[in-house]
Amino acid sequence: MGISYFRTAGTLITGTGSIAEVGEQAKKLEATKAIIVTDKIIRETGLLSKVTEPLSAAGLEADIIDDVVPEPPFENLEQLAAQIEGKGYDLLIGVGGGSALDITKVLSIMLTNKEDVREFVGIEKVKNPGVPMILVPTTAGTGSEVTYNAIFTDTRDKVKKGIVSPYLLPSVAIVDAELTLSVPPAVTAATGMDALVHAVESYTAIRAGELTDGIALQAIKLISRSIRKAVYNGKDLKARENMAMGSLLAGISLGNAGVGAVHALAYPLGGKFKVPHGVANSLLLPFVMKYNAVADLKKFAEVAEALGENIEGLSLREAADRAVAALAQLSRDVGIPSSLKEVGVTASDIPALAEEASKVDRLLNNNPRWLTMKEIQKIYEEAYGAVEEPSLT
Ligand SMILES: NC(=O)c1ccc[n+]([C@@H]2O[C@H](COP(=O)([O-])OP(=O)(O)OC[C@H]3O[C@@H](n4cnc5c(N)ncnc54)[C@H](O)[C@@H]3O)[C@@H](O)[C@H]2O)c1
Ligand SMILES: [Fe+2]
């Protein structure tokens, strides 16, 4: 057995109403000056009072900065860093989806490291630990509260880039499903499918192992059984709780086993075509799975079982095929486009997309089946005109 590391948030607090603990947690971290990092839409929902009230009760008044933009570019990070620098903040509280949490994580290290933020892109390029953080997700999706990576759009080459460092893990993560009740259906679908992709990709990744396999399978079960309800009846608290727990588990698995080609091929769609991260992943998942499945039929058959498919009497190949079809169906059921055409890509864009995706070695090296430019291009071509559900047979 190879050597592996397992990392997650310092303290993980879960459960409906758990956000009430934020004040006590801030006190334990000996915070004297805190800032909440969020976006304008979240501020407008009014849910920040669930964070500020317990903080006030613990004797801590927090400033708020709400200029995070969705799928943030590095420039957004630089602009926010300039606003908070030199003000003596000793606690950052990220409240939001993956965009606000990723920004918070990198702001924390920008306050203690003086290099240009682009120099942190890649694996373990950050020298000093950051300012302590509490991360509070308000979408059930990215799992960013427990991963040690953060993703930004590089507006120069229009590709999404990752900063990977253990210093991006928060002291505390608080996952409270009540904060996700206001997420609109399309965002619930995209973020929920992103979480499901994290679970499936990390379960079948090269770096998958005993520490993450059970976690990933439980995430697949929870998300696949609740996502339709959460999308179509957003007030269903049980469905939201399952999604919150599912996305957290998927994040723990992703954080330690990593993801693969679905994310690599999704990055240029986010960068160039502004397709939301979860939509790009969900759209590509069946096509990449169809390609990957033969590399590990057993694991893909297990994915089918976790998705609730009856695989009794089926060969491993047939069962793996069921997983591909079930995920394509689920994605359609929650309203995600099933072809690249539908998100504005034209056939002539495909070679450039394939070229960009082929550069994401960090993820492609973790994919269960080797891909060259040729295969990447073929997957995009299949996804381009999809009408039928992809199948192995
Ligand atoms: N760090 C990681 O491990 C990781 C993993 C996957 C994705 N990501 C990154 O995360 C970003 C995407 O994050 P996301 O999918 O959570 O989307 P997001 O953070 O961009 O949020 C999507 C939209 O939903 C709104 N929103 C969020 N919570 C809400 C609530 N409770 N009520 C109403 N509206 C709400 C936001 O204001 C925003 O407009 C991308 O940049 C992606 O690359 C990071
Ligand atoms: Fe993702």
Side-chain angles (χ1 to χ4, degrees), residues 39 41-42 45 47 70-72 97-99 102 105 138-139 142 144 147 149-151 160 179 182-184 187 191 194 198 254 277:
D39 69 37
I41 294 179
I42 291 162
T45 63
L47 60 78
E71 317 263 337
S99 300
D102 281 4
K105 287 156 74 168
T138 64
T139 60
T142 67
S144 174
T147 69
N149 55 50
I151 316 292
K160 293 197 115 188
L179 303 179
S182 53
V183 182
V187 179
T191 51
D194 182 29
H198 295 161
L254 143 78
H277 177 77

Side-chain angles (χ1 to χ4, degrees), residues 8 11 17 29 76 82 103 109 116 132 134 145 160 163 187 189 191 212 217 239 245 256 277 304 310 316 334:
T8 190
T11 301
L29 291 169
N76 190 207
I103 286 266
I109 53 161
D116 182 286
I134 298 178
E145 67 278 8
K160 293 197 115 188
I163 298 174
V187 179
T191 51
T212 50
L217 284 177
M245 184 52 77
N256 292 288
H277 177 77
N310 181 2
L316 284 182
V334 296

